[in-house]
Amino acid sequence: MGNSEEVVFQIILHGGNGKSSAMEAIAAAKKGDFATAREKIQEAGEALNQAHHIQTSLIQGEIRGEKNEISLLMVHAQDHLMNAIMIKDLAMEFVELYEYVTTSKDRV
């Protein structure tokens, strides 16, 4: 496996970890465990930041004239990362919504 493939797999790995943590946050919030939900959102953010840093380094390298092969694997990694970011953003909304509904119910 070439160096560029390893970098692409790192984007996929961190993106997948971020997506999984975001989904775990939703599951925790659904059960009313908001501390865990917030912790999982934090984990998702950290994983996605790692993937984003790798992506940024590829972009900066290209700006310096280092060409990256645009392979199906690279396209897949970018798609995977963008979907993971969207899921994390939605998970944040779900956690807030579950918390609002739960605390509103308790006030009635």
Side-chain angles (χ1 to χ4, degrees):
M1 175 170 28
N3 191 31
S4 64
E5 286 176 326
E6 290 174 22
V7 170
V8 170
F9 280 122
Q10 287 297 311
I11 293 172
I12 293 169
L13 171 74
H14 294 303
N17 289 344
K19 177 183 173 185
S20 294
S21 292
M23 294 303 292
E24 290 172 11
I26 294 171
K30 189 173 186 178
K31 293 177 185 174
D33 185 354
F34 301 109
T36 298
R38 284 187 286 278
E39 180 181 304
K40 292 296 178 180
I41 290 290
Q42 179 72 29
E43 284 178 17
E46 290 168 5
L48 294 173
N49 281 340
Q50 287 180 298
H52 188 256
H53 287 307
I54 295 166
Q55 181 188 48
T56 299
S57 71
L58 290 173
I59 292 168
Q60 289 171 341
E62 193 165 305
I63 290 169
R64 289 189 304 268
E66 301 165 13
K67 293 297 177 191
N68 293 305
E69 179 186 339
I70 299 183
S71 65
L72 185 55
L73 187 60
M74 175 69 85
V75 172
H76 172 69
Q78 295 302 311
D79 185 49
H80 194 66
L81 177 57
M82 294 311 298
N83 282 319
I85 291 169
M86 183 174 27
I87 289 170
K88 183 223 166 212
D89 291 345
L90 289 173
M92 290 170 56
E93 294 297 323
F94 272 99
V95 169
E96 289 179 16
L97 180 60
Y98 276 121
E99 191 164 21
Y100 175 78
V101 168
T102 300
T103 57
S104 295
K105 230 181 354 183
D106 293 343
R107 283 186 255 155
V108 177

